[in-house]
Amino acid sequence: MYGAGTGGNYAPPSITVVIGINNTVEWVNNDTVAHTVTSNSGPASFNSGNMNAGATFTFTFTVAGTYEYYCEYHSWMGGQVIVEAG
Ligand SMILES: [Cu+2]
């Protein structure tokens, strides 16, 4: 993920994973400022808390569905994880 500044966002903005195949997702803050990965909809919630530059956050999705997340510091940043049943 990267971000900060107009147009900054998670990359890629949407991913699709399959339970049992690739359902552990790691975010890496490749930016120079802090961000968060914070869910705001979906079957389960997750929150990285503060991620400084270079920090990583890993979450394993075990329930199928569509998850939306954002950055608590930059409200324009949004991402999506689509989790499919294995
Ligand atoms: Cu941010």
Side-chain angles (χ1 to χ4, degrees):
M1 76 185 226
Y2 66 97
T6 302
N9 214 330
Y10 303 98
S14 178
I15 62 170
T16 300
V17 302
V18 180
I19 292 172
I21 303 295
N22 59 349
N23 53 314
T24 296
V25 177
E26 181 184 66
W27 287 262
V28 180
N29 185 357
N30 289 322
D31 203 359
T32 56
V33 301
H35 296 289
T36 76
V37 173
T38 305
S39 64
N40 54 2
S41 73
S45 61
F46 50 93
N47 191 348
S48 66
N50 181 74
M51 292 177 67
N52 290 323
T56 62
F57 170 64
T58 301
F59 186 79
T60 299
F61 292 88
T62 59
V63 181
T66 299
Y67 299 73
E68 308 280 348
Y69 64 90
Y70 72 107
C71 174
E72 292 181 338
Y73 307 144
H74 308 105
S75 60
W76 65 88
M77 292 177 62
Q80 180 185 64
V81 180
I82 298 168
V83 179
E84 297 179 344

